[in-house]
Amino acid sequence: MIIDCHGHYTTAPKQLTAFRDQQIAGLKDKSQRPTSTNLGITDDEIRESLEGAQLKLQRERGTDLTIFSPRASAMAHHVGDEATSAQWAEVCNDLIYRVCKLYPQNFVGVCQLPQVPGVPPQNCIPELERCVKELGFVGLNLNPDPSGGWWKEPPLTDRHWYPIYEKMVELDVPAMIHVSASCNPCFHATGAHYINADTTAFMQLLTADLFKDFPTLKFIIPHGGGAAPYHWGRYRGLAQDMKKPPLAEHLLKNVFFDTCVYHYPGIELLTKVIPVDNILFASEMVGAVRGKDPETGHFFDDTKRYIDQLSMLSPENRTKIFEGNARKVFGRLDAVLKERGLN
Ligand SMILES: [Zn+2]
């Protein structure tokens, strides 16, 4: 089974955006607020939104299962207040649940949290519990910067975040550290803000000893880990200067990287630098980069091709990247698949 651990519902039916527009209009004028969280999306509309996109690409590329979450750039935790964010997360997560019900062989859910800048993240625990316990989700996307590019929250190693970590450990769910839209014009969302955040999160984890307090906590740093693998020598050296243990011991029991790197040399570097046990296959399709690479004639985000091309990878290690590591990191995944008769 080839498991893509990073996909978003970027093709959701237009009623979802209409609902969000109403929510935003309702912030200024209460009479505009949506009166119901029933979006009026039919099962056929969901099928249509996926058949020509994620499902088609799964079939064409030969991948089996996508760990699927709401559109990351639309989480926009900086918009509105706690009530806005709670309602928006619920609506988005419910839609992912419906996708997983309609296509149990193709999708497993990961949730969006109702984060709000300046609000302690324990406000997210009820939605996280609902998604894991009632909807069968296996992970969450945790936004280290709900302000959308202004970095107002304490670092991920601060006690501010501990309540959500305690719940993650209890539920045995990993978090993908994933920012959302950027409201800072200095940072392009997917080109700069995402990659900055990946790198920033890694460095935050390096400077502290979070995993002494949470030895079983698991994070996935997406987009190939931002700049971390490319600058691995810098990070190893910084850790050494700070009298931290070697990175393998300090971070790599808890921190994993996905393969959303959109060219072969990048994937080759990732797999040379980062231990194979810490790499999870992912493409983030349909997502950040939608076009074809004129140099290869293939989609930039068809990351399976790059991994297939890695001749130095043993069959055993290839299976770890494509399947085994995802089953380890997403502690509830095996049970969910078994329930669906897919083990
Ligand atoms: Zn993403």
Side-chain angles (χ1 to χ4, degrees):
M1 184 184 286
I2 295 187
I3 302 171
D4 182 338
C5 81
H6 185 177
H8 302 292
Y9 197 7
T10 48
T11 56
K14 58 183 184 315
Q15 293 95 317
L16 184 67
T17 316
F19 174 87
R20 182 60 166 172
D21 290 344
Q22 260 188 301
Q23 252 203 335
I24 293 169
L27 294 171
K28 278 191 189 149
D29 173 3
K30 283 185 184 173
S31 70
Q32 304 270 316
R33 278 186 191 169
T35 47
S36 160
T37 51
N38 183 348
L39 305 184
I41 295 174
T42 65
D43 285 353
D44 275 345
E45 285 174 313
I46 293 178
R47 288 190 192 100
E48 233 171 81
S49 72
L50 296 163
E51 284 290 350
Q54 289 85 352
L55 289 168
K56 177 172 168 266
L57 294 174
Q58 278 186 352
R59 284 191 292 267
E60 282 176 6
R61 298 176 184 184
T63 64
D64 299 296
L65 184 84
T66 301
I67 297 183
F68 205 49
S69 59
R71 183 179 198 167
S73 61
M75 296 190 295
H77 294 117
H78 57 277
V79 173
D81 54 16
E82 276 189 75
T84 323
S85 237
Q87 195 185 41
W88 179 229
E90 189 187 313
V91 162
C92 290
N93 290 330
D94 283 350
L95 206 51
I96 295 294
Y97 174 67
R98 288 180 65 192
V99 167
C100 298
K101 286 296 256 189
L102 286 171
Y103 296 98
Q105 304 201 344
N106 302 89
F107 297 103
V108 171
V110 154
C111 67
Q112 166 181 336
L113 296 180
Q115 290 178 253
V116 181
V119 175
Q122 50 264 56
N123 77 315
C124 299
I125 289 175
E127 181 62 4
L128 174 61
E129 285 207 294
R130 182 182 81 92
C131 288
V132 173
K133 290 184 175 168
E134 293 171 32
L135 310 186
F137 287 17
V138 298
L140 57 137
N141 287 335
L142 182 67
N143 185 350
D145 173 30
S147 75
W150 301 102
W151 293 90
K152 302 270 178 70
E153 312 299 302
L156 288 167
T157 48
D158 191 274
R159 288 191 169 271
H160 171 83
W161 301 94
Y162 274 29
I164 199 92
Y165 299 158
E166 281 160 12
K167 190 50 69 175
M168 283 168 60
V169 167
E170 183 197 313
L171 296 172
D172 192 15
V173 288
M176 180 170 278
I177 297 174
H178 206 309
V179 286
S180 184
S182 165
C183 346
N184 183 334
C186 293
F187 302 131
H188 179 274
T190 50
H193 186 39
Y194 279 25
I195 309 300
N196 290 348
D198 304 335
T199 312
T200 298
F202 183 78
M203 191 61 206
Q204 288 178 355
L205 299 173
L206 189 153
T207 51
D209 296 297
L210 177 65
F211 303 117
K212 277 190 180 154
D213 287 347
F214 295 99
T216 60
L217 185 67
K218 290 188 181 75
F219 290 129
I220 300 153
I221 304 193
H223 322 112
Y230 190 60
H231 286 286
W232 202 240
R234 174 175 293 250
Y235 294 110
R236 284 178 51 228
L238 283 167
Q240 185 173 287
D241 291 350
M242 291 174 196
K243 314 285 181 225
K244 298 293 181 195
L247 293 183
E249 200 182 308
H250 185 43
L251 298 180
L252 294 186
K253 292 182 197 106
N254 309 84
V255 179
F256 300 83
F257 302 89
D258 80 8
T259 66
C260 294
V261 176
Y262 292 164
H263 65 155
Y264 175 77
I267 292 282
E268 191 182 34
L269 180 138
L270 177 73
T271 51
K272 272 185 181 166
V273 171
I274 301 299
V276 72
D277 288 333
N278 292 77
I279 303 173
L280 277 66
F281 170 66
S283 67
E284 202 179 24
M285 64 91 173
V286 180
V289 177
R290 298 193 181 205
K292 278 186 178 169
D293 184 345
E295 291 179 15
T296 64
H298 295 277
F299 285 103
F300 283 102
D301 68 2
D302 185 358
T303 53
K304 180 171 171 291
R305 288 185 64 255
Y306 312 132
I307 296 156
D308 288 341
Q309 284 169 52
L310 291 167
S311 55
M312 84 281 194
L313 211 57
S314 70
E316 191 194 2
N317 284 345
R318 201 176 298 271
T319 306
K320 280 184 176 178
I321 292 176
F322 278 139
E323 177 181 4
N325 294 340
R327 287 183 186 266
K328 270 194 212 154
V329 173
F330 291 88
R332 301 177 81 98
L333 182 60
D334 273 346
V336 166
L337 294 179
K338 205 170 180 184
E339 231 178 66
R340 298 181 186 181
L342 289 175
N343 239 6

